[in-house]
Amino acid sequence: MAPDLVLIEWVDSGQPIPGWQWLSDLEPRRAHKCVSVGFLVQDDEKTKVLAPNLGASNGDEDWDQASGLFTIPSAAVTKLERLTCASGTALTNDGRAAA
């Protein structure tokens, strides 16, 4: 069984401004709002780890590998939503609803 598929909203620090800046000229800055989606492979008090990709080395649905792991500090998380497919609609390879 696959780990839960989740959407996480979180905040991140802004990119550093290069070069020297006059303190009197600084504009107010704020954290950046981010959103990420993936399989929640680690969920504890310090970190949330998402994997966009799962693999089954034996070829069935026994997911035993992950790639592209992305770590978000739990303190930065503002929302965590488990995703489900309410309609159960299957999609074709080109993204259209299957008949």
Side-chain angles (χ1 to χ4, degrees):
M1 186 165 165
D4 288 342
L5 183 61
V6 298
L7 177 145
I8 296 180
E9 290 182 5
W10 55 287
V11 292
D12 196 10
S13 60
Q15 184 172 357
I17 299 172
W20 287 93
Q21 306 289 316
W22 293 109
L23 294 176
S24 60
D25 293 340
L26 289 181
E27 295 290 326
R29 298 189 40 97
R30 61 176 179 255
H32 294 261
K33 182 178 179 180
C34 303
V35 63
S36 299
V37 175
F39 295 98
L40 188 60
V41 297
Q42 180 180 331
D43 181 10
D44 58 47
E45 63 185 38
K46 293 187 178 184
T47 56
K48 311 294 184 213
V49 179
L50 297 181
N53 308 295
L54 297 178
S57 59
N58 59 7
D60 61 16
E61 291 186 17
D62 183 18
W63 308 112
D64 60 355
Q65 298 181 49
S67 70
L69 297 177
F70 183 72
T71 302
I72 301 169
S74 292
V77 174
T78 59
K79 179 181 178 182
L80 189 150
E81 179 180 343
R82 283 174 169 68
L83 303 177
T84 60
C85 182
S87 69
T89 303
L91 300 178
T92 62
N93 287 343
D94 61 2
R96 293 181 288 157

